[in-house]
Amino acid sequence: MDARNLLVLLSFGITLVLLVTWFHLPLLSLTNKEALNCNIYSGWCTSKNRFHSSSSDPNPINKPTTFSNHHQQLKHEFDVPRHPLDPLTIQEFNEVRAVLSTHPLFKSSNSYTLNSLVLEEPDKELVLKWKKGQPLLPRKASIVALVKGVTHTLTVDLNTNQITNHETSPAAGYPTMTIEEMMSVLDVPLKNNEFNNTITKHGVDLADLVCLPLSSGWYGTPVEENIRLIKVQCYSRKGSVNFYMKPIEGVTVLVDMDKKEVVSITDNGQNIPIANGVDTDYRYSVQKLNKELKLINPISLEQPKGPSFTVDGHIVKWANWEFHLKPDPRAGIIISQAKVRDPDTSELRSVIYKGFTSELFVPYMDPTDGWYFKTYMDAGEYGFGLQAMPLDPLNDCPRNAYYMDGVFASADGTPFIQPNMICIFESYAGDIAWRHAECPITDMRVTEVRPKVTLVVRMAAAVANYDYIMDWEFQTDGLIRSKVGLSGILMVKGTTYENMNQVPDQEYLYGTLLSENIIGVIHDHFITYYLDMDVDGSDNSFVKVNIKRQETSPGESPRKSYLKAVRKVAKTEKDAQIKLQLYDPSEFHVVNSLKKTKVGNPVGYKLVPGATAASLLDPEDPPQKRAAFTNNQIWVTPYNKSEQWAGGLLVYQSQGDDTLQVWSNRDRPIENKDIVLWYTVGFHHVPCQEDYPIMPTVSSSFDLKPVNFFERNPILRMPPNFKDDLPVCKAQDSA
Ligand SMILES: *[C@@H]1O[C@H](CO)[C@@H](O)[C@H](O)[C@H]1NC(C)=O
Ligand SMILES: *[C@@H]1O[C@H](CO)[C@@H](O)[C@H](O)[C@H]1NC(C)=O
């Protein structure tokens, strides 16, 4: 199999039979007594009342596959939009293609690529006014197309079947690559005899070659001018599916992505051997089992009365939450119009208008020739949603999960399905939502405890070697947690070293020796979130609540010092460019100053950062200029429909002239305005041997937590678990 076919397999290899069927059977109405007797009434102990995925293929990568996934298409053929934010349907994609085909730019199918084709969301004020049952707002498609090196942005009105807007972009940079482009560049080096000879000289059989398309960043050199470039580096897959651990170090092919020609081939790794790849295969089927190892018994969550959430088209309802959920080729998951029901008034109250992963930045920390350019922006360059592989039922998501497919457009506009792209499930990890036990001295004998159940929306994007597990978790107490889990395989560097005792200066390893001939290179991950907060309405303010030490005056108190909270409303954008500081801490509130609680506090939500890291690169370093949205951890901008992608609309080879930093430096007023909060989760990753040959998941998160939003604890009236509600089934009854 050649490299191209292997990449096809990697990108689409998991798609074939993952047909999801949602058996929405009526909930079984068993009385507690009946349910307890699971031998006779095995009702809930079987999987009948669960959401289903019909695939349980443990090893899908071995399946043959095709680019057009006809089976899944059939399932979505008759999808109709029912909400103004619903993604484009198969029929709408086909209509867009028909409209475009009448335009001279799109006459010949091999002269253009549609790098983005998604719903153009209606104006926010119209969406906010729209109510279920009303006619749908006019449907429009937003298109980013590349024609002969020029980026065109177009709008197609699907009601009139007209192109209503057409502009060419003056900005530097190119749109997100299409899957077809990523694949087609891998053929290019193989047409070059010098490349074949180079690979052979490294002792690699061309039949074992696997190559990756690596975005080349932008460094302002003459060779980058007016040309869309990509770098190709290759690996040997001989003896292990984990080819990432067998780099052909030092060989970099620079490719003209449009002409599909080799620009240059560099080889400065002639003396570096290919690592042997022994024991790097991570598949369960090939592991040598150690009989001494204690295994965990199978585990799963039981829901005697079935799931508590519903998915109606793209509207998810669970407990006190309601939100719109859609897959997006660039952002992955988009959460819209998230509202929480007030337990006192029963009113659905708005929290977020729109939240998603706006951009990622992954710079590697090795300045040498084959590595300096590795400064990936995974959403804008590769498409975070395009890289979201089908989730593996029972392992990526528990058995009680519901799966949602993505329906996206390929480079010529033909729709395709990204099956099982998102899962939704209720999670119970044995945690406590709130508790109090009265101690014996009061003689009151009160013990009240509530179990914590949450709703998780999950996606896992495998951007080549790295896997990002993206969760949005909703809690009944009003908190939203957004979590990033990093797993997958390190991008490693080949070396002559086999042991640390051969290394003269560890600093110039740029990483950690993980195995013979393998260095895990130090790198960062930054994930920047767009959070259009609408706390009880669109007009909000950002308040920095600074926690400061106050010294007491002499004689005032036996205490010398205490802490006080000093509130400061951000007037303009620059007031809200925030770098986190442990010794000068603040809380970060988004409040609606027009809405107050009964005792007069403005209602709000606060952003609670988790463990994070800041970028330490020089602000003038070209990758840092392009990723200037990581210069602060928090930013607040006034709402602007065209400012959603933190690195700019056109991120590929961008030069940093259209980033969040540039917008925020306009220093526009943000007090009592429709505002957008931006937050960046960061990781410094100094690899260690446990990350080899595949990484245990490392996570970080942030919370959006109600702050004076409710009058009191919103889950005060929630019931505890009662024994009768949780019948114990015999193990064999569980399906
Ligand atoms: C390079 O090797 C590949 C794989 O064997 C082959 O298909 C291709 O024709 C070769 N290229 C040249 C220019 O010989
Ligand atoms: C909205 O954003 C675009 C892109 O940054 C900018 O050109 C425009 O001036 C912005 N509008 C306002 C009112 O800030």
Side-chain angles (χ1 to χ4, degrees), residues 638-643 658 663 666 668:
Y639 175 82
N640 179 333
K641 200 176 178 179
S642 43
E643 293 177 353
D658 184 25
W663 314 331
R666 294 187 190 132
R668 295 162 288 191

PDB file of all heavy atoms in Angstrom, residues 638-643 658 663 666 668, ligand 2:
ATOM      1  N   PRO A 638     -15.910  43.381  21.999  1.00  0.00           N
ATOM      2  CA  PRO A 638     -17.336  43.585  21.718  1.00  0.00           C
ATOM      3  C   PRO A 638     -17.760  42.610  20.624  1.00  0.00           C
ATOM      4  O   PRO A 638     -16.958  42.297  19.736  1.00  0.00           O
ATOM      5  CB  PRO A 638     -17.400  45.036  21.215  1.00  0.00           C
ATOM      6  CG  PRO A 638     -16.034  45.377  20.774  1.00  0.00           C
ATOM      7  CD  PRO A 638     -15.077  44.492  21.502  1.00  0.00           C
ATOM      8  N   TYR A 639     -19.000  42.127  20.686  1.00  0.00           N
ATOM      9  CA  TYR A 639     -19.470  41.159  19.700  1.00  0.00           C
ATOM     10  C   TYR A 639     -19.350  41.729  18.292  1.00  0.00           C
ATOM     11  O   TYR A 639     -19.757  42.850  18.026  1.00  0.00           O
ATOM     12  CB  TYR A 639     -20.927  40.779  19.969  1.00  0.00           C
ATOM     13  CG  TYR A 639     -21.497  39.871  18.905  1.00  0.00           C
ATOM     14  CD1 TYR A 639     -21.256  38.504  18.952  1.00  0.00           C
ATOM     15  CD2 TYR A 639     -22.249  40.379  17.850  1.00  0.00           C
ATOM     16  CE1 TYR A 639     -21.746  37.664  17.973  1.00  0.00           C
ATOM     17  CE2 TYR A 639     -22.743  39.537  16.859  1.00  0.00           C
ATOM     18  CZ  TYR A 639     -22.491  38.188  16.926  1.00  0.00           C
ATOM     19  OH  TYR A 639     -22.973  37.361  15.946  1.00  0.00           O
ATOM     20  N   ASN A 640     -18.772  40.943  17.411  1.00  0.00           N
ATOM     21  CA  ASN A 640     -18.629  41.319  16.000  1.00  0.00           C
ATOM     22  C   ASN A 640     -18.671  40.003  15.235  1.00  0.00           C
ATOM     23  O   ASN A 640     -17.811  39.141  15.425  1.00  0.00           O
ATOM     24  CB  ASN A 640     -17.287  42.047  15.812  1.00  0.00           C
ATOM     25  CG  ASN A 640     -17.035  42.456  14.375  1.00  0.00           C
ATOM     26  OD1 ASN A 640     -17.538  41.832  13.438  1.00  0.00           O
ATOM     27  ND2 ASN A 640     -16.229  43.498  14.196  1.00  0.00           N
ATOM     28  N   LYS A 641     -19.689  39.878  14.388  1.00  0.00           N
ATOM     29  CA  LYS A 641     -19.911  38.611  13.687  1.00  0.00           C
ATOM     30  C   LYS A 641     -18.663  38.131  12.945  1.00  0.00           C
ATOM     31  O   LYS A 641     -18.438  36.921  12.816  1.00  0.00           O
ATOM     32  CB  LYS A 641     -21.068  38.802  12.705  1.00  0.00           C
ATOM     33  CG  LYS A 641     -21.718  37.514  12.286  1.00  0.00           C
ATOM     34  CD  LYS A 641     -22.919  37.785  11.395  1.00  0.00           C
ATOM     35  CE  LYS A 641     -23.527  36.475  10.932  1.00  0.00           C
ATOM     36  NZ  LYS A 641     -24.699  36.707  10.080  1.00  0.00           N
ATOM     37  N   SER A 642     -17.835  39.063  12.457  1.00  0.00           N
ATOM     38  CA  SER A 642     -16.677  38.598  11.682  1.00  0.00           C
ATOM     39  C   SER A 642     -15.422  38.393  12.530  1.00  0.00           C
ATOM     40  O   SER A 642     -14.356  38.140  11.989  1.00  0.00           O
ATOM     41  CB  SER A 642     -16.408  39.530  10.503  1.00  0.00           C
ATOM     42  OG  SER A 642     -16.516  40.859  10.893  1.00  0.00           O
ATOM     43  N   GLU A 643     -15.534  38.493  13.842  1.00  0.00           N
ATOM     44  CA  GLU A 643     -14.368  38.206  14.697  1.00  0.00           C
ATOM     45  C   GLU A 643     -14.640  36.969  15.540  1.00  0.00           C
ATOM     46  O   GLU A 643     -15.017  37.048  16.706  1.00  0.00           O
ATOM     47  CB  GLU A 643     -14.061  39.426  15.584  1.00  0.00           C
ATOM     48  CG  GLU A 643     -13.585  40.626  14.764  1.00  0.00           C
ATOM     49  CD  GLU A 643     -13.336  41.879  15.591  1.00  0.00           C
ATOM     50  OE1 GLU A 643     -13.651  41.887  16.800  1.00  0.00           O
ATOM     51  OE2 GLU A 643     -12.824  42.861  15.019  1.00  0.00           O
ATOM     52  N   ASP A 658      -4.461  39.640  11.406  1.00  0.00           N
ATOM     53  CA  ASP A 658      -5.905  39.521  11.635  1.00  0.00           C
ATOM     54  C   ASP A 658      -6.152  38.626  12.857  1.00  0.00           C
ATOM     55  O   ASP A 658      -6.896  37.664  12.782  1.00  0.00           O
ATOM     56  CB  ASP A 658      -6.561  38.926  10.370  1.00  0.00           C
ATOM     57  CG  ASP A 658      -8.076  38.863  10.464  1.00  0.00           C
ATOM     58  OD1 ASP A 658      -8.666  39.663  11.223  1.00  0.00           O
ATOM     59  OD2 ASP A 658      -8.676  38.003   9.792  1.00  0.00           O
ATOM     60  N   TRP A 663      -7.459  42.917  16.923  1.00  0.00           N
ATOM     61  CA  TRP A 663      -8.814  43.435  17.156  1.00  0.00           C
ATOM     62  C   TRP A 663      -8.885  44.120  18.522  1.00  0.00           C
ATOM     63  O   TRP A 663      -9.421  45.212  18.653  1.00  0.00           O
ATOM     64  CB  TRP A 663      -9.872  42.325  17.127  1.00  0.00           C
ATOM     65  CG  TRP A 663      -9.767  41.359  15.995  1.00  0.00           C
ATOM     66  CD1 TRP A 663      -9.257  41.612  14.750  1.00  0.00           C
ATOM     67  CD2 TRP A 663     -10.162  39.980  16.001  1.00  0.00           C
ATOM     68  NE1 TRP A 663      -9.318  40.473  13.984  1.00  0.00           N
ATOM     69  CE2 TRP A 663      -9.871  39.458  14.723  1.00  0.00           C
ATOM     70  CE3 TRP A 663     -10.731  39.137  16.954  1.00  0.00           C
ATOM     71  CZ2 TRP A 663     -10.125  38.126  14.389  1.00  0.00           C
ATOM     72  CZ3 TRP A 663     -10.995  37.825  16.617  1.00  0.00           C
ATOM     73  CH2 TRP A 663     -10.687  37.327  15.346  1.00  0.00           C
ATOM     74  N   ARG A 666      -7.729  47.642  19.263  1.00  0.00           N
ATOM     75  CA  ARG A 666      -8.568  48.797  18.884  1.00  0.00           C
ATOM     76  C   ARG A 666      -9.185  49.435  20.129  1.00  0.00           C
ATOM     77  O   ARG A 666      -9.687  50.527  20.077  1.00  0.00           O
ATOM     78  CB  ARG A 666      -9.680  48.354  17.948  1.00  0.00           C
ATOM     79  CG  ARG A 666      -9.160  47.867  16.627  1.00  0.00           C
ATOM     80  CD  ARG A 666     -10.330  47.612  15.672  1.00  0.00           C
ATOM     81  NE  ARG A 666      -9.819  46.935  14.502  1.00  0.00           N
ATOM     82  CZ  ARG A 666     -10.364  45.846  13.970  1.00  0.00           C
ATOM     83  NH1 ARG A 666     -11.462  45.331  14.490  1.00  0.00           N
ATOM     84  NH2 ARG A 666      -9.824  45.277  12.919  1.00  0.00           N
ATOM     85  N   ARG A 668     -11.898  49.017  21.928  1.00  0.00           N
ATOM     86  CA  ARG A 668     -13.299  49.455  21.836  1.00  0.00           C
ATOM     87  C   ARG A 668     -13.977  49.362  23.202  1.00  0.00           C
ATOM     88  O   ARG A 668     -13.561  48.579  24.057  1.00  0.00           O
ATOM     89  CB  ARG A 668     -14.033  48.569  20.825  1.00  0.00           C
ATOM     90  CG  ARG A 668     -13.500  48.719  19.407  1.00  0.00           C
ATOM     91  CD  ARG A 668     -13.909  47.567  18.512  1.00  0.00           C
ATOM     92  NE  ARG A 668     -13.200  46.329  18.839  1.00  0.00           N
ATOM     93  CZ  ARG A 668     -13.223  45.229  18.084  1.00  0.00           C
ATOM     94  NH1 ARG A 668     -13.930  45.205  16.968  1.00  0.00           N
ATOM     95  NH2 ARG A 668     -12.550  44.155  18.437  1.00  0.00           N
TER      96      ARG A 668
HETATM   97  C1  LIG B   2     -15.767  43.907  12.896  1.00  0.00           C
HETATM   98  O1  LIG B   2     -14.675  43.087  12.593  1.00  0.00           O
HETATM   99  C2  LIG B   2     -14.026  43.367  11.364  1.00  0.00           C
HETATM  100  C3  LIG B   2     -12.887  42.376  11.273  1.00  0.00           C
HETATM  101  O2  LIG B   2     -11.985  42.523  12.347  1.00  0.00           O
HETATM  102  C4  LIG B   2     -13.539  44.808  11.315  1.00  0.00           C
HETATM  103  O3  LIG B   2     -13.009  45.080  10.042  1.00  0.00           O
HETATM  104  C5  LIG B   2     -14.673  45.752  11.627  1.00  0.00           C
HETATM  105  O4  LIG B   2     -14.176  47.057  11.703  1.00  0.00           O
HETATM  106  C6  LIG B   2     -15.303  45.365  12.953  1.00  0.00           C
HETATM  107  N1  LIG B   2     -16.423  46.227  13.243  1.00  0.00           N
HETATM  108  C7  LIG B   2     -16.485  46.921  14.374  1.00  0.00           C
HETATM  109  C8  LIG B   2     -17.707  47.793  14.533  1.00  0.00           C
HETATM  110  O5  LIG B   2     -15.622  46.893  15.242  1.00  0.00           O
END
